[in-house]
Amino acid sequence: MNENAADSSLSKQFESVRRFTDRITASLSPEDCMVQSMEDASPVRWHLAHGTWFFETFVLKQEADYTVFDKHFSYLFNSYYNAIGEQFPRPNRGTISRPGLDCIREYRRYVDRELLSRLQSPDFVARHAETITVGLNHEQQHQELILTDIKNALASNPMLPVYEDREFAPSNGTTDSWAEITDGKYDVGHDGDGFCFDNELPRHTVFLPAFRISLNLTTCGQFIEFINDGGYERPELWLSLGWNAVKERSWNAPLYWMRRDGRWMQFTLAGLTPVDPDWPICHVSYFEADAFARWAGKRLPTEFEWEVACRSLTETRAEANTGQFADKLFAGGYAIHPTLSSGGFFGSVWQWTASSYQAYPGYRPPPGAIGEYNGKFMCNQYVLRGGSVATSQSHIRDTYRNFFPADARWQFSGFRLAE
Amino acid sequence: MNENAADSSLSKQFESVRRFTDRITASLSPEDCMVQSMEDASPVRWHLAHGTWFFETFVLKQEADYTVFDKHFSYLFNSYYNAIGEQFPRPNRGTISRPGLDCIREYRRYVDRELLSRLQSPDFVARHAETITVGLNHEQQHQELILTDIKNALASNPMLPVYEDREFAPSNGTTDSWAEITDGKYDVGHDGDGFCFDNELPRHTVFLPAFRISLNLTTCGQFIEFINDGGYERPELWLSLGWNAVKERSWNAPLYWMRRDGRWMQFTLAGLTPVDPDWPICHVSYFEADAFARWAGKRLPTEFEWEVACRSLTETRAEANTGQFADKLFAGGYAIHPTLSSGGFFGSVWQWTASSYQAYPGYRPPPGAIGEYNGKFMCNQYVLRGGSVATSQSHIRDTYRNFFPADARWQFSGFRLAE
Amino acid sequence: MNENAADSSLSKQFESVRRFTDRITASLSPEDCMVQSMEDASPVRWHLAHGTWFFETFVLKQEADYTVFDKHFSYLFNSYYNAIGEQFPRPNRGTISRPGLDCIREYRRYVDRELLSRLQSPDFVARHAETITVGLNHEQQHQELILTDIKNALASNPMLPVYEDREFAPSNGTTDSWAEITDGKYDVGHDGDGFCFDNELPRHTVFLPAFRISLNLTTCGQFIEFINDGGYERPELWLSLGWNAVKERSWNAPLYWMRRDGRWMQFTLAGLTPVDPDWPICHVSYFEADAFARWAGKRLPTEFEWEVACRSLTETRAEANTGQFADKLFAGGYAIHPTLSSGGFFGSVWQWTASSYQAYPGYRPPPGAIGEYNGKFMCNQYVLRGGSVATSQSHIRDTYRNFFPADARWQFSGFRLAE
Amino acid sequence: MNENAADSSLSKQFESVRRFTDRITASLSPEDCMVQSMEDASPVRWHLAHGTWFFETFVLKQEADYTVFDKHFSYLFNSYYNAIGEQFPRPNRGTISRPGLDCIREYRRYVDRELLSRLQSPDFVARHAETITVGLNHEQQHQELILTDIKNALASNPMLPVYEDREFAPSNGTTDSWAEITDGKYDVGHDGDGFCFDNELPRHTVFLPAFRISLNLTTCGQFIEFINDGGYERPELWLSLGWNAVKERSWNAPLYWMRRDGRWMQFTLAGLTPVDPDWPICHVSYFEADAFARWAGKRLPTEFEWEVACRSLTETRAEANTGQFADKLFAGGYAIHPTLSSGGFFGSVWQWTASSYQAYPGYRPPPGAIGEYNGKFMCNQYVLRGGSVATSQSHIRDTYRNFFPADARWQFSGFRLAE
Ligand SMILES: [Fe+3]
Ligand SMILES: [Fe+3]
Ligand SMILES: [Fe+3]
Ligand SMILES: [Fe+3]
C-alpha cells in the first residue's frame, strides 16, 4: 500500500467512488437489498454498510473527536476482522432487517460528511491518506460484489427480474491467435508509485520456461463444443474435486445458463438473453476452466505467465479494446470500462490462472487489523487476473490478484488458454 | 367445515379479518417483511401473499370471468398443496425480493375487490361460502404466524428491535387449585352449527379414567424453580429425543429468555422486559412441558381430558378472565382477546397436551386440494389446546386443535398440569 | 414386570435364551459381527456384549462379591441408560475393534457362569428374579435386532452374501375376509401373572366405535398393484413427512426389493429370491403402510382395535397358523415360530398400527435406571403389534407393544387393514 | 515413471515389498482390519485388497491367460480410477464384511503366485516391469497408510489398545542451527535413472531468492511453548480456514495428544506415552504448522527451497541420522528407517511446505487409467517432503512429493521452519 496521494484530490476520489456505489444501487428496492441468496454472497444493504464501516473503523474511530453513529454497527458490519472483535455470523446476514436501508444510507451520509470535513486538515490527511486509499479500493471491490451478489439474488427468483434494461451490442467475431514468450528470468509483482494491495508485493524474480498464450478469451461457442462433446460427463477431463462438484451439484453448463426451446439462454443483469457464441465464456469455475483446457489439449496459464504476457503485449493491444462483453449491462450507458474487448487482457471477465493463491517471497501483511485484509485467505483459492466488466477501471493493472475458491461461479469469471 | 353462513355478513367478516391483517403489519418495514429467521418461519410478506393466494386459488380461479393477478404467484405462494402444483422451496422464501411489499399489498387489494364485488351475487355465495369461511379462518391462523414469525425475526437481530412499544400491566398472583373429573364416557369433537376444521370431526365417544387438572397455567416462577433445581441438566426428567434437543441446541431456559445482570429477561414484541414470575410460562417446547411435569410429579393432560375439563369448567370461569398475558403486547390497546387470564382455559398461551396429533375415528379429509389442509400433517406432532394471546378470538372453542412438533418453541406455547 | 417365576426354572430359561443367541450368531465371522451399516443398527458384537452387560449391570454388580469382567465395558456397552453413566457414541459402535469377538464371547461365558452359580441361592433369586426375567426378554429383543441388523449389514454389501442357505416353502394363497367388531367399552393392556413390559400397563378401559379388520396381512401382490398404480409417485396418498421421505430417499419399493430382468426380487437372509405375491408384505415403513391404506380406501387399525380383534379372534384361528413367512429363513430348520401364517395375528411380520406410542393412563416407569427401558422413547414412534418371524415365540401376546419411528423399514414390518 | 529395472531382481523386490505388508499386519485381528474410523482412512483389509487389486487390474488382467479371482473385486477395491469403472463408495468401506480377511489374504497369495510365475518370462517383464514398479511403490504408500489408519482406528477406541509394545529410546536433545542458501537459478524435480512418480517431473528451472532454513525439525517442546502462549486461542496467528478448523473441531493440541494428570501424553502405536519435548512435533495439520511459524516470526519453506536445501546439505548429514523418532514404534526392532534423526531431512515426520500441490511446467500424466494416479488431485492440497518413520526407505529421495489437504492430521506430519 505504497500510496502517497495525500493531497486534496483524495476528497474528489472519495466523492467519486462513494457516489458510484449509490449509482449502481439506486434502482434496487429495500427488499432487493435484503436478499442473501447463498452463504458466499451478502445482501446489498450489508455491502453498503460494510464499506462505510471500513472508513468509520479504520479512520474515524482513530480520531478522538468522532462520535460513533451506532454502537451495534461495529459488530454487525465487521466482515472478518478478528482484531476488531466478534462478527455477526455471515450466513445470517440476510436475516436481520434493522437497520433498514434508509438508516444505512443515512449512516453512509454521516460518515461521508465526517470524513470529508476532516479531509480539509493536512494533518488528518497525513495520518490517514494511506488507509483511506485502501478503503476506496475496498469500496470498489464491494461495488463488484454488489453486482455479482444482486445478480445471484435476482437469478434465484423464478420470475427472473431485471436489474436494468439494456440492449446488447452485436458481437464481431474472434480469431485464433497466440503469442509466444521466451524463457528467462522475469520480475513480477507491483512496481512504481501507484496504489497496490499488499498481496502484489514484493516484486520479485521468477524463472519462466518458454510458453504460448492465447490472445483471446475462450468463447461461449467454444464452450458449447465442449458441452456437446460430453464435457460434463467425462470424469477423465476433471480434477477429482471438480468431478465431485459436477456430480453433487448437477452442473451441466455455466452458472445462469438454461435451455429454453432447444437453445442456450443466459440470465444477465438485463434479464434472460440468448447466449452469443462470440462472447467470452463467463460464470465458470476453476474446475470448468481446467476441464475445458484439458479437453482442448491445452492448459491454463500461471499467474506469472499471464502477468509477463500481459505486460509485453498490452501496449499495442490496448487500443483494440472495443468489444464483446460477458454481460453487456454496462456497455451502452455508463460504462465501467470503456475500453474492454473479448481479446483484451483486461475487463470482460476475470481469468482463472493455474496458480493457487499464495504469498510472494518475503510477503508481510501490514501491521494491525488491516493485516487481515488479504493474508489470511492464502489457502485453497486460485488467482484470477485481468478484471471483469464489473470491476473498477482503476483496478486494471497487470499485477492485480483476485482470488476465489475453485468451485466459485458467481463472479464474472472466464479464462484464456496457454500451452 | 359444516358452515352455512352464506348471507351478506360474509362480506363484513371478510372485510374485518382482512383489515386486521393490515393492522398488525402496518408498522413493519419492507425489510422486516423479508426476514425468514429459520426454516419453520416465513417472511411476513409471504404470509400476506399466501393468505390472498388461498382466496384466489380456491375461490376466484374457479370463476370463469376472473383474471389472474400474476401467473407466477400460483407457484410462489403455494405453501404445500401438491394438488395445485409444485411449490417454491420453503427454506428459500426469504431469498426472493420480487414481488415487493407494495406489489403484494396491491395483490391483496385486487383480490379483495374481486371477491367483495362477487359476494353481491347469491349464486357466488352459495358456491363459495364454505371455502371463503375456511379462507378467513386460514387468514386468521396466518395472522398468528405473522406475529410469532416476526417475533422470531426481530429476536434474531442483536439490536433486539421493538415491534410495538407497550406498557405491561401488573400481574395479580395465582393460586394452586385443581378440578376433579370423574371417569366415564364422554363425547369429544366439534358439535353444532359453528365453523370448525375437519380435524375436529367427527364427534365421537371416548372413555376417560378419573383425573385432576390444574385450574392454572404453569407460571414463569414455577418454571424458574425447575431451572434452579437443575431441570435442564438432569436427563432422567426428559424424553430421549427431548434430552437430545437440550444437548444439541444448548437449551437452558425457554426461548427468548436471557440472563442480564443476574436476572431473567425475556424478549417480547414490546422489547426486552423482566420475566414476571406470575405470568404463564411461554415459548417452551413439548419436551420442556413434559420434563417440567415429570419434575413436578405430575403429567400433561391428554387433549380429551383438556376438552372435557374445559367444557365442564369454563361456563363459570369465563367471567374471571381478566388477566395475566404471556406477551402483553395486545393487552393495552387493541386486544385480540379481551377476556383472557392466566387461569383461563383460553388465550394467554397455547397449552401442550400429551396427545399426539392423530385422526379421529372415521375422519375424512375434504375432497380436492383442500383435503391437504390438515390431514397430511398427522404425524410426529402434538396437540395444543386453548389459543394464545396471538390467536383470533373467534378460534376460541373447546374443540380447536392446534399442532406442532415436540421441539417447536416459537409459538406462544405453555401448558397446564394434570394428574 | 409383574413376574414371580423365582424358582429353579429360571436357570433353564436363562440357559435356553442365552444359547439361542449363540445359535443365531454361530455362522457369523468376526468381520460380520463388526458391521454397523447405518446408525439405527448396531454391530452383532455390540448386541452380544450389551445383552450381557445388562445382566452384569443390573444384577451382578448389585452383589458385593462380584468382580467386574472389564471396567471399560460399563461405558462401551451401555446403550442409553443415563442413570448408569455416559455412553460410547452410538454412531461409532462399528468403529472399535476391541474387545474382539472372542473376548466378547468370553465375557458372555463369564457372566453366564457367575449368574448361573448364584441362581442356586434362593436369596439371590428372590432379590433378582424379576430383573433377570426382564434381562431375558431384553436378550430376546436383541436377538431380533441381531437378525434385522445383520440382514441390513449383508444387504449393504454388493455381493449380497447369504446368512444361511435355506429353501423357501411354496405359498398357498390368501382370501379376502374381514372380521366385524361391535362398538363398546373394552379393557386393554396386560392382565394376569405372565411377564409383560411396563409399557403394557396399566390395563385400562377404552371405548371403541364399531370397526372391521382384515383377517389377512396385506400381501406382496397387493403391494405391487399399489406400486404399479403409481403409489410412490402420487403425493396425495402420503402423509407430508412420508412424501418427504419418498423424495429424499428415492423410495420406489419396499426395502431390500430390487428389479432384476423385469421382475421384483428381494434380499433375504437366505440371499436374493423372487418376490412371492402371496407372502405378506415386509420391510415397509409406517409411511408406506399408511399410503397403501389410503390408496386402498381403508386405514390402519389402532393398536387397541388390533388388540381387541386379536383377543376375540385368535382362539379359533391359532390352529390355522401354518404358513406364509415374510422371510423363510427359519421355516425349514429350527423354527423360531412353528405356528405362524400370513393370516395369523402373530408372527410373520410386525404390523404397523395407526397409534403413536404413548403412555397408558396411569403409566409409571419402574424406579431406577431400568425406568429408562421404555418410557423415555414415547415420542414420535408408532406401535407395531403381533411379532415377526424373527421374534421370540414367548413374546407372542396380544398386549405386546413394539415401536419404531414412522420411517423405519429394516424391521420385519408389514401391516393389515381396517375400516 | 522412467524405470527400467526389468531384470530378475523384480521378483525379489516384489517378494520383499509384499512380505513387508504381511509383517506389519500380522498382529491385527479380523476386527482390527475392519475399522474405518473416519472417511479419510480406510480399513486395513481394504488396503490389503486394494494393493493386490492394483497388480491384478493393471498387469494380470492385460494377460489373456489370467483368470480373475473374484469378479466383484474390480468394483469393491477400485479406489478412484474412473477409467476402470464405478467404485464402491469410500465412506462405506468399513461397512462390508465379505470378503473376510482370510479370503483377502488368499486373494493376495493368488495374485502373488500368478505374478511371480509370469515374471519368469522376459516378454512379460518387458511388457509390465514399469507398471509393476509403480505397483510396488503404490503398495509401499499403502503400507504407510495402513500404519496411519490403524493408529487412527485404535485411537478412536477409549481403551486405547496397543498395536505393538515397544520401548522408546531416550532422546538426545536438539540445537538451533540454520543453513543459508544463496539466491539463484536451481533445477528441481527428478533426475537420473531411478524410479520416480509422474508428479516429480519434468525437472525444470526455478529462481529462488536467498533464504535460511532450519536444520532441525520443530520439536514437541517448542510446540508446547506455542500452546502455552495461547497459540490455539489467537486468531491473528491463523489462516482464516485454519481458524475455522480450530473452532469447529475444538483443536487445542496436536492429534492424539491428551492431558493426563497435568501433563501432555500422546497416543502412539505402542500405546499412551508421555510427550518427550525433544521429539519432533507430529500429527499437526498444515494450519498448525503455518500458525506456529507465524507465532515464531518465521515461515514454512516452499517445496523447492526444501528440495534445494536438502540436496546441498544431506551429503554430510546423512551419517548423523541416528535418532529421535516421532513415533518410536519401529525404533527398536525392525526399523523401517535405520538412519533417521530429528535433525535429518528424511524420515521421522513428513514436513509440510508452503507450496500447494500443483503440476510442474510441462507435466503430463501417463496415458490410460494410471494417469489418474496423481494428476487429478492437484487441487487444495499442500506438499509434504522428506518421509516419515512409517515411510518406506526406498521412497527417501529429495524430489518425492507427498500431499494432503491443509487440515489433515492423521499422517506422521511435522515441519521445519525457514525465513
Ligand atoms: Fe470487505
Ligand atoms: Fe396456509
Ligand atoms: Fe438393550
Ligand atoms: Fe491406491
Side-chain angles (χ1 to χ4, degrees), chain C residues 18 47-57 60 104 107-109 111-112 138-139:
Chain C
R18 297 282 283 178
H47 288 297
L48 290 173
H50 167 69
T52 305
W53 171 96
F54 191 100
F55 291 111
E56 186 181 51
T57 302
L60 291 172
I104 286 171
Y107 175 43
R108 289 181 66 84
R109 285 189 295 268
V111 164
D112 285 358
H138 172 259
E139 176 104 4

PDB file of all heavy atoms in Angstrom, chain C residues 18 47-57 60 104 107-109 111-112 138-139:
ATOM      1  N   ARG C  18     -29.977 -67.749  26.357  1.00  0.00           N
ATOM      2  CA  ARG C  18     -28.594 -67.376  26.035  1.00  0.00           C
ATOM      3  C   ARG C  18     -28.024 -68.276  24.938  1.00  0.00           C
ATOM      4  O   ARG C  18     -27.296 -67.811  24.063  1.00  0.00           O
ATOM      5  CB  ARG C  18     -27.724 -67.443  27.295  1.00  0.00           C
ATOM      6  CG  ARG C  18     -28.151 -66.451  28.382  1.00  0.00           C
ATOM      7  CD  ARG C  18     -27.694 -65.059  28.088  1.00  0.00           C
ATOM      8  NE  ARG C  18     -26.266 -64.905  28.392  1.00  0.00           N
ATOM      9  CZ  ARG C  18     -25.594 -63.773  28.180  1.00  0.00           C
ATOM     10  NH1 ARG C  18     -26.207 -62.722  27.650  1.00  0.00           N
ATOM     11  NH2 ARG C  18     -24.316 -63.692  28.478  1.00  0.00           N
ATOM     12  N   HIS C  47     -24.394 -56.176  20.177  1.00  0.00           N
ATOM     13  CA  HIS C  47     -25.565 -56.818  20.776  1.00  0.00           C
ATOM     14  C   HIS C  47     -25.127 -57.925  21.746  1.00  0.00           C
ATOM     15  O   HIS C  47     -25.690 -58.060  22.832  1.00  0.00           O
ATOM     16  CB  HIS C  47     -26.459 -57.434  19.695  1.00  0.00           C
ATOM     17  CG  HIS C  47     -27.202 -56.434  18.871  1.00  0.00           C
ATOM     18  ND1 HIS C  47     -28.133 -55.579  19.395  1.00  0.00           N
ATOM     19  CD2 HIS C  47     -27.167 -56.162  17.543  1.00  0.00           C
ATOM     20  CE1 HIS C  47     -28.644 -54.814  18.421  1.00  0.00           C
ATOM     21  NE2 HIS C  47     -28.072 -55.150  17.292  1.00  0.00           N
ATOM     22  N   LEU C  48     -24.140 -58.724  21.314  1.00  0.00           N
ATOM     23  CA  LEU C  48     -23.685 -59.825  22.167  1.00  0.00           C
ATOM     24  C   LEU C  48     -23.160 -59.304  23.509  1.00  0.00           C
ATOM     25  O   LEU C  48     -23.420 -59.881  24.563  1.00  0.00           O
ATOM     26  CB  LEU C  48     -22.575 -60.611  21.450  1.00  0.00           C
ATOM     27  CG  LEU C  48     -23.037 -61.428  20.240  1.00  0.00           C
ATOM     28  CD1 LEU C  48     -21.841 -62.023  19.509  1.00  0.00           C
ATOM     29  CD2 LEU C  48     -24.011 -62.532  20.668  1.00  0.00           C
ATOM     30  N   ALA C  49     -22.437 -58.202  23.436  1.00  0.00           N
ATOM     31  CA  ALA C  49     -21.880 -57.656  24.669  1.00  0.00           C
ATOM     32  C   ALA C  49     -22.952 -56.938  25.489  1.00  0.00           C
ATOM     33  O   ALA C  49     -23.014 -57.071  26.715  1.00  0.00           O
ATOM     34  CB  ALA C  49     -20.738 -56.705  24.341  1.00  0.00           C
ATOM     35  N   HIS C  50     -23.803 -56.222  24.814  1.00  0.00           N
ATOM     36  CA  HIS C  50     -24.796 -55.396  25.520  1.00  0.00           C
ATOM     37  C   HIS C  50     -25.812 -56.237  26.298  1.00  0.00           C
ATOM     38  O   HIS C  50     -26.175 -55.909  27.434  1.00  0.00           O
ATOM     39  CB  HIS C  50     -25.509 -54.494  24.507  1.00  0.00           C
ATOM     40  CG  HIS C  50     -26.742 -53.837  25.026  1.00  0.00           C
ATOM     41  ND1 HIS C  50     -26.716 -52.857  25.992  1.00  0.00           N
ATOM     42  CD2 HIS C  50     -28.069 -54.044  24.735  1.00  0.00           C
ATOM     43  CE1 HIS C  50     -27.959 -52.463  26.262  1.00  0.00           C
ATOM     44  NE2 HIS C  50     -28.786 -53.170  25.516  1.00  0.00           N
ATOM     45  N   GLY C  51     -26.265 -57.344  25.711  1.00  0.00           N
ATOM     46  CA  GLY C  51     -27.205 -58.207  26.425  1.00  0.00           C
ATOM     47  C   GLY C  51     -26.578 -58.742  27.706  1.00  0.00           C
ATOM     48  O   GLY C  51     -27.247 -58.905  28.733  1.00  0.00           O
ATOM     49  N   THR C  52     -25.287 -58.998  27.622  1.00  0.00           N
ATOM     50  CA  THR C  52     -24.534 -59.484  28.774  1.00  0.00           C
ATOM     51  C   THR C  52     -24.319 -58.373  29.790  1.00  0.00           C
ATOM     52  O   THR C  52     -24.438 -58.573  31.008  1.00  0.00           O
ATOM     53  CB  THR C  52     -23.182 -60.024  28.263  1.00  0.00           C
ATOM     54  OG1 THR C  52     -23.453 -60.992  27.252  1.00  0.00           O
ATOM     55  CG2 THR C  52     -22.379 -60.647  29.385  1.00  0.00           C
ATOM     56  N   TRP C  53     -23.999 -57.194  29.262  1.00  0.00           N
ATOM     57  CA  TRP C  53     -23.850 -56.008  30.103  1.00  0.00           C
ATOM     58  C   TRP C  53     -25.081 -55.780  30.950  1.00  0.00           C
ATOM     59  O   TRP C  53     -24.994 -55.366  32.106  1.00  0.00           O
ATOM     60  CB  TRP C  53     -23.584 -54.813  29.174  1.00  0.00           C
ATOM     61  CG  TRP C  53     -23.613 -53.462  29.793  1.00  0.00           C
ATOM     62  CD1 TRP C  53     -22.547 -52.740  30.250  1.00  0.00           C
ATOM     63  CD2 TRP C  53     -24.769 -52.632  30.003  1.00  0.00           C
ATOM     64  NE1 TRP C  53     -22.966 -51.526  30.730  1.00  0.00           N
ATOM     65  CE2 TRP C  53     -24.324 -51.440  30.594  1.00  0.00           C
ATOM     66  CE3 TRP C  53     -26.136 -52.785  29.753  1.00  0.00           C
ATOM     67  CZ2 TRP C  53     -25.187 -50.399  30.937  1.00  0.00           C
ATOM     68  CZ3 TRP C  53     -27.002 -51.771  30.094  1.00  0.00           C
ATOM     69  CH2 TRP C  53     -26.525 -50.582  30.684  1.00  0.00           C
ATOM     70  N   PHE C  54     -26.248 -56.065  30.392  1.00  0.00           N
ATOM     71  CA  PHE C  54     -27.499 -55.851  31.120  1.00  0.00           C
ATOM     72  C   PHE C  54     -27.518 -56.687  32.405  1.00  0.00           C
ATOM     73  O   PHE C  54     -27.807 -56.170  33.484  1.00  0.00           O
ATOM     74  CB  PHE C  54     -28.682 -56.224  30.211  1.00  0.00           C
ATOM     75  CG  PHE C  54     -30.020 -55.807  30.750  1.00  0.00           C
ATOM     76  CD1 PHE C  54     -30.648 -54.659  30.294  1.00  0.00           C
ATOM     77  CD2 PHE C  54     -30.676 -56.575  31.721  1.00  0.00           C
ATOM     78  CE1 PHE C  54     -31.897 -54.274  30.792  1.00  0.00           C
ATOM     79  CE2 PHE C  54     -31.917 -56.187  32.215  1.00  0.00           C
ATOM     80  CZ  PHE C  54     -32.528 -55.043  31.754  1.00  0.00           C
ATOM     81  N   PHE C  55     -27.177 -57.960  32.274  1.00  0.00           N
ATOM     82  CA  PHE C  55     -27.156 -58.818  33.464  1.00  0.00           C
ATOM     83  C   PHE C  55     -26.060 -58.405  34.436  1.00  0.00           C
ATOM     84  O   PHE C  55     -26.237 -58.402  35.649  1.00  0.00           O
ATOM     85  CB  PHE C  55     -26.952 -60.293  33.054  1.00  0.00           C
ATOM     86  CG  PHE C  55     -28.135 -60.876  32.339  1.00  0.00           C
ATOM     87  CD1 PHE C  55     -28.072 -61.189  30.989  1.00  0.00           C
ATOM     88  CD2 PHE C  55     -29.336 -61.104  33.011  1.00  0.00           C
ATOM     89  CE1 PHE C  55     -29.166 -61.727  30.328  1.00  0.00           C
ATOM     90  CE2 PHE C  55     -30.438 -61.650  32.352  1.00  0.00           C
ATOM     91  CZ  PHE C  55     -30.348 -61.950  31.005  1.00  0.00           C
ATOM     92  N   GLU C  56     -24.918 -58.034  33.881  1.00  0.00           N
ATOM     93  CA  GLU C  56     -23.822 -57.639  34.762  1.00  0.00           C
ATOM     94  C   GLU C  56     -24.182 -56.366  35.529  1.00  0.00           C
ATOM     95  O   GLU C  56     -23.970 -56.257  36.735  1.00  0.00           O
ATOM     96  CB  GLU C  56     -22.540 -57.419  33.935  1.00  0.00           C
ATOM     97  CG  GLU C  56     -21.324 -57.139  34.807  1.00  0.00           C
ATOM     98  CD  GLU C  56     -20.057 -56.888  33.997  1.00  0.00           C
ATOM     99  OE1 GLU C  56     -20.104 -56.041  33.081  1.00  0.00           O
ATOM    100  OE2 GLU C  56     -19.022 -57.529  34.293  1.00  0.00           O
ATOM    101  N   THR C  57     -24.754 -55.409  34.799  1.00  0.00           N
ATOM    102  CA  THR C  57     -25.014 -54.100  35.400  1.00  0.00           C
ATOM    103  C   THR C  57     -26.162 -54.134  36.396  1.00  0.00           C
ATOM    104  O   THR C  57     -26.053 -53.617  37.503  1.00  0.00           O
ATOM    105  CB  THR C  57     -25.339 -53.092  34.276  1.00  0.00           C
ATOM    106  OG1 THR C  57     -24.246 -53.058  33.366  1.00  0.00           O
ATOM    107  CG2 THR C  57     -25.592 -51.696  34.851  1.00  0.00           C
ATOM    108  N   LEU C  60     -25.561 -58.556  38.601  1.00  0.00           N
ATOM    109  CA  LEU C  60     -24.322 -58.986  39.261  1.00  0.00           C
ATOM    110  C   LEU C  60     -23.643 -57.856  40.033  1.00  0.00           C
ATOM    111  O   LEU C  60     -23.123 -58.068  41.133  1.00  0.00           O
ATOM    112  CB  LEU C  60     -23.362 -59.591  38.230  1.00  0.00           C
ATOM    113  CG  LEU C  60     -23.842 -60.937  37.656  1.00  0.00           C
ATOM    114  CD1 LEU C  60     -22.950 -61.372  36.493  1.00  0.00           C
ATOM    115  CD2 LEU C  60     -23.859 -62.019  38.742  1.00  0.00           C
ATOM    116  N   ILE C 104     -15.478 -60.989  23.613  1.00  0.00           N
ATOM    117  CA  ILE C 104     -16.890 -60.765  23.956  1.00  0.00           C
ATOM    118  C   ILE C 104     -17.572 -62.088  24.289  1.00  0.00           C
ATOM    119  O   ILE C 104     -18.372 -62.182  25.213  1.00  0.00           O
ATOM    120  CB  ILE C 104     -17.599 -60.016  22.803  1.00  0.00           C
ATOM    121  CG1 ILE C 104     -17.152 -58.549  22.807  1.00  0.00           C
ATOM    122  CG2 ILE C 104     -19.107 -60.102  22.936  1.00  0.00           C
ATOM    123  CD1 ILE C 104     -17.592 -57.754  21.605  1.00  0.00           C
ATOM    124  N   TYR C 107     -16.592 -62.926  27.658  1.00  0.00           N
ATOM    125  CA  TYR C 107     -17.379 -62.093  28.577  1.00  0.00           C
ATOM    126  C   TYR C 107     -18.746 -62.733  28.815  1.00  0.00           C
ATOM    127  O   TYR C 107     -19.235 -62.813  29.945  1.00  0.00           O
ATOM    128  CB  TYR C 107     -17.509 -60.698  27.958  1.00  0.00           C
ATOM    129  CG  TYR C 107     -18.369 -59.689  28.673  1.00  0.00           C
ATOM    130  CD1 TYR C 107     -18.331 -59.519  30.063  1.00  0.00           C
ATOM    131  CD2 TYR C 107     -19.217 -58.856  27.931  1.00  0.00           C
ATOM    132  CE1 TYR C 107     -19.120 -58.552  30.683  1.00  0.00           C
ATOM    133  CE2 TYR C 107     -20.001 -57.888  28.546  1.00  0.00           C
ATOM    134  CZ  TYR C 107     -19.957 -57.738  29.922  1.00  0.00           C
ATOM    135  OH  TYR C 107     -20.729 -56.792  30.531  1.00  0.00           O
ATOM    136  N   ARG C 108     -19.353 -63.196  27.746  1.00  0.00           N
ATOM    137  CA  ARG C 108     -20.656 -63.853  27.886  1.00  0.00           C
ATOM    138  C   ARG C 108     -20.551 -65.088  28.783  1.00  0.00           C
ATOM    139  O   ARG C 108     -21.380 -65.289  29.681  1.00  0.00           O
ATOM    140  CB  ARG C 108     -21.205 -64.266  26.508  1.00  0.00           C
ATOM    141  CG  ARG C 108     -21.643 -63.077  25.645  1.00  0.00           C
ATOM    142  CD  ARG C 108     -22.211 -63.518  24.284  1.00  0.00           C
ATOM    143  NE  ARG C 108     -23.453 -64.254  24.426  1.00  0.00           N
ATOM    144  CZ  ARG C 108     -24.651 -63.678  24.548  1.00  0.00           C
ATOM    145  NH1 ARG C 108     -24.771 -62.362  24.556  1.00  0.00           N
ATOM    146  NH2 ARG C 108     -25.741 -64.421  24.671  1.00  0.00           N
ATOM    147  N   ARG C 109     -19.534 -65.895  28.538  1.00  0.00           N
ATOM    148  CA  ARG C 109     -19.400 -67.121  29.351  1.00  0.00           C
ATOM    149  C   ARG C 109     -19.143 -66.779  30.817  1.00  0.00           C
ATOM    150  O   ARG C 109     -19.684 -67.418  31.723  1.00  0.00           O
ATOM    151  CB  ARG C 109     -18.263 -67.992  28.803  1.00  0.00           C
ATOM    152  CG  ARG C 109     -18.640 -68.726  27.515  1.00  0.00           C
ATOM    153  CD  ARG C 109     -17.587 -69.735  27.103  1.00  0.00           C
ATOM    154  NE  ARG C 109     -16.320 -69.101  26.751  1.00  0.00           N
ATOM    155  CZ  ARG C 109     -15.985 -68.722  25.505  1.00  0.00           C
ATOM    156  NH1 ARG C 109     -16.832 -68.909  24.490  1.00  0.00           N
ATOM    157  NH2 ARG C 109     -14.815 -68.161  25.270  1.00  0.00           N
ATOM    158  N   VAL C 111     -20.069 -64.093  32.519  1.00  0.00           N
ATOM    159  CA  VAL C 111     -21.296 -63.617  33.162  1.00  0.00           C
ATOM    160  C   VAL C 111     -22.301 -64.763  33.328  1.00  0.00           C
ATOM    161  O   VAL C 111     -22.980 -64.872  34.361  1.00  0.00           O
ATOM    162  CB  VAL C 111     -21.885 -62.433  32.362  1.00  0.00           C
ATOM    163  CG1 VAL C 111     -23.340 -62.162  32.736  1.00  0.00           C
ATOM    164  CG2 VAL C 111     -21.039 -61.180  32.588  1.00  0.00           C
ATOM    165  N   ASP C 112     -22.359 -65.634  32.334  1.00  0.00           N
ATOM    166  CA  ASP C 112     -23.248 -66.798  32.472  1.00  0.00           C
ATOM    167  C   ASP C 112     -22.872 -67.627  33.697  1.00  0.00           C
ATOM    168  O   ASP C 112     -23.728 -67.989  34.506  1.00  0.00           O
ATOM    169  CB  ASP C 112     -23.150 -67.685  31.211  1.00  0.00           C
ATOM    170  CG  ASP C 112     -23.886 -67.082  30.027  1.00  0.00           C
ATOM    171  OD1 ASP C 112     -24.496 -66.001  30.181  1.00  0.00           O
ATOM    172  OD2 ASP C 112     -23.832 -67.677  28.935  1.00  0.00           O
ATOM    173  N   HIS C 138     -35.207 -58.892  27.367  1.00  0.00           N
ATOM    174  CA  HIS C 138     -34.324 -57.928  26.709  1.00  0.00           C
ATOM    175  C   HIS C 138     -33.393 -58.645  25.732  1.00  0.00           C
ATOM    176  O   HIS C 138     -33.222 -58.230  24.585  1.00  0.00           O
ATOM    177  CB  HIS C 138     -33.535 -57.184  27.788  1.00  0.00           C
ATOM    178  CG  HIS C 138     -32.465 -56.299  27.266  1.00  0.00           C
ATOM    179  ND1 HIS C 138     -31.133 -56.659  27.270  1.00  0.00           N
ATOM    180  CD2 HIS C 138     -32.518 -55.061  26.706  1.00  0.00           C
ATOM    181  CE1 HIS C 138     -30.425 -55.675  26.748  1.00  0.00           C
ATOM    182  NE2 HIS C 138     -31.230 -54.698  26.405  1.00  0.00           N
ATOM    183  N   GLU C 139     -32.803 -59.735  26.191  1.00  0.00           N
ATOM    184  CA  GLU C 139     -31.913 -60.503  25.312  1.00  0.00           C
ATOM    185  C   GLU C 139     -32.667 -60.984  24.076  1.00  0.00           C
ATOM    186  O   GLU C 139     -32.151 -60.932  22.954  1.00  0.00           O
ATOM    187  CB  GLU C 139     -31.342 -61.710  26.077  1.00  0.00           C
ATOM    188  CG  GLU C 139     -30.472 -62.645  25.241  1.00  0.00           C
ATOM    189  CD  GLU C 139     -28.975 -62.497  25.501  1.00  0.00           C
ATOM    190  OE1 GLU C 139     -28.593 -61.707  26.394  1.00  0.00           O
ATOM    191  OE2 GLU C 139     -28.182 -63.147  24.796  1.00  0.00           O
TER     192      GLU C 139
END
